[in-house]
Amino acid sequence: MTTFAAFGIGLATHALGSERVLDTWYPLAATGGDLGEAVALAHALGHDGASATYPLHRASLRDVDLAADHPVARAVAAVTSDAATTPAPTRTRRQPVATFVADLAAPPIDAHDVYLRLHLISGRQLRPNDTNLDGAFGLLSNVVWTDEGPCDAEGFEALQLEHAAAGRRLRVSSVDKFPRMTDYVVPSGVRIADADRVRLGAHLAPGTTVMHEGFVNFNAGTLGASMVEGRISAGVVVGDGSDIGGSASIMGTLSGGGTERISVGQRCLIGANAGIGISLGDGCVVEAGLYVTAGTKVTLPDGQVVKAAQLSGRDDLLFRRDSVTGTVTALERAGGHADWGGLNAELHANE
């Protein structure tokens, strides 16, 4: 029987005259091989169980028995429609595809594979760090993201000139390997004040609010209702009821050589302009303006001085700096997590 760990029906954008993938949008992305119609499609495409992406053509799919009202059939119909495959005015071509991932614990094999995994994280079918994204940067192209879709960075000035001559310049939102999440996935129950600051591959749980200066990287995000006014870097997860204050920062896996994973527990507060390079357990507070890295020397209530790394993951700690001596201290929080007030429940009821 055909099996696979993940599956997607998508529309890939290629640079014109090239097989180089600029992006792949997956209106259907799923984990597991339990979608009967997906298995039928895999058989029709000659899928052998290995990770692979296959082009889809309406003519070759006429004999595939797909129930018309099934999500797989609807997605295939959408990406193979005339409107979807009409040549774009951006020197690109669109190709409907079906992508199968054999093992999410293995590194991705190409750009289609990467995009499918990013869709699955943003679609909340995978949590951050639940899939292997090793080598993703090397598989993705640097793309000019415009209001007409992705464009090849090479030759973009000439393309812009063509559009200007026709009376309309392309609006460029970024030049990057990762697009913004909301152009591909819009999760329910969240508020995002500035969509440019949330990358595809971010995981935002229901009840999350990302304010204008908040930022959520790929393979990172929230696991419950959270306020994000600072930066959640790649690989970082933030627990339910936590608040990342204005301009606060959390070091990610890229800062730690790709191996260190930092997490923030439930009901934590990282104050404005503060930051951490260690994990926080539940009910922790880092005062405004204090950056606690793994090597920060911290004085405990008994006078012992330790590196902050030794306190990583502990619950109910208050990190603060003595305003007279400059000493960083860690105190047990009287009353545990209850005494900073927690999130405003009404503010995070994002339905």
Side-chain angles (χ1 to χ4, degrees):
M1 179 179 178
T2 300
T3 60
F4 38 84
F7 163 76
I9 296 292
L11 189 63
T13 305
H14 296 261
L16 197 62
S18 168
E19 292 302 312
R20 186 159 55 85
V21 176
L22 300 181
D23 83 332
T24 307
W25 167 58
Y26 289 98
L28 175 65
T31 56
D34 56 350
L35 291 172
E37 304 289 42
V39 173
L41 182 61
H43 282 301
L45 295 171
H47 179 55
D48 61 4
S51 292
T53 292
Y54 303 89
L56 297 178
H57 303 283
R58 278 186 291 181
S60 63
L61 293 172
R62 286 172 183 160
D63 296 330
V64 181
D65 186 18
L66 299 177
D69 60 345
H70 192 278
V72 171
R74 292 200 299 269
V76 169
V79 300
T80 57
S81 69
D82 290 337
T85 55
T86 298
T90 52
R91 295 185 180 175
T92 59
R93 63 179 178 86
R94 301 186 182 103
Q95 173 62 59
V97 295
T99 297
F100 300 87
V101 177
D103 183 3
L104 289 166
I109 64 169
D110 58 19
H112 302 294
D113 192 334
V114 174
Y115 267 95
L116 179 55
R117 297 180 196 223
L118 296 177
H119 276 73
L120 290 169
I121 297 172
S122 288
R124 301 177 185 148
Q125 298 192 58
L126 296 174
R127 288 187 171 191
N129 305 312
D130 276 358
T131 183
N132 189 334
L133 288 170
D134 291 350
F137 277 95
L139 296 172
L140 298 179
S141 296
N142 201 34
V143 173
V144 181
W145 302 101
T146 78
D147 54 345
E148 290 286 347
C151 298
D152 193 354
E154 184 177 345
F156 180 75
E157 289 183 357
L159 176 64
Q160 184 71 291
L161 185 60
E162 287 179 11
H163 280 256
R168 184 183 183 280
R169 294 180 62 188
L170 294 169
R171 183 179 180 275
V172 178
S173 59
S174 67
V175 183
D176 196 3
K177 292 196 172 189
F178 290 80
R180 57 188 176 191
M181 179 187 73
T182 53
D183 288 343
Y184 297 80
V185 179
V186 179
S188 61
V190 304
R191 288 194 294 134
I192 303 171
D194 185 349
D196 286 342
R197 299 183 63 83
V198 181
R199 273 174 151 181
L200 180 63
H203 181 286
L204 301 183
T208 294
T209 296
V210 183
M211 295 301 290
H212 296 78
E213 296 305 316
F215 172 77
V216 187
N217 212 337
F218 75 98
N219 199 33
T222 62
L223 305 181
S226 298
M227 170 62 79
V228 183
E229 298 180 274
R231 186 174 77 242
I232 300 178
S233 301
V236 173
V237 291
V238 175
D240 183 51
S242 290
D243 187 328
I244 312 303
S247 297
S249 174
I250 307 171
M251 288 185 178
T253 52
L254 299 179
S255 302
T259 57
E260 296 297 325
R261 292 179 180 172
I262 293 177
S263 61
V264 176
Q266 299 182 34
R267 304 172 303 276
C268 291
L269 171 64
I270 302 177
N273 296 304
I276 56 171
I278 63 170
S279 292
L280 300 180
D282 295 339
C284 290
V285 171
V286 179
E287 77 164 7
L290 175 61
Y291 210 117
V292 181
T293 66
T296 300
K297 297 295 180 65
V298 181
T299 300
L300 303 180
D302 62 2
Q304 182 184 5
V305 178
V306 300
K307 289 185 177 181
Q310 295 177 241
L311 305 175
S312 184
R314 281 183 49 177
D315 297 340
D316 297 323
L317 290 180
L318 166 61
F319 292 90
R320 68 184 185 186
R321 186 184 299 277
D322 188 297
S323 60
V324 175
T325 66
T327 301
V328 177
T329 61
L331 305 175
E332 295 285 346
R333 296 182 61 216
H337 60 258
D339 56 345
W340 73 267
L343 298 179
N344 181 325
E346 183 177 342
L347 182 66
H348 295 273
N350 295 337
E351 296 299 333

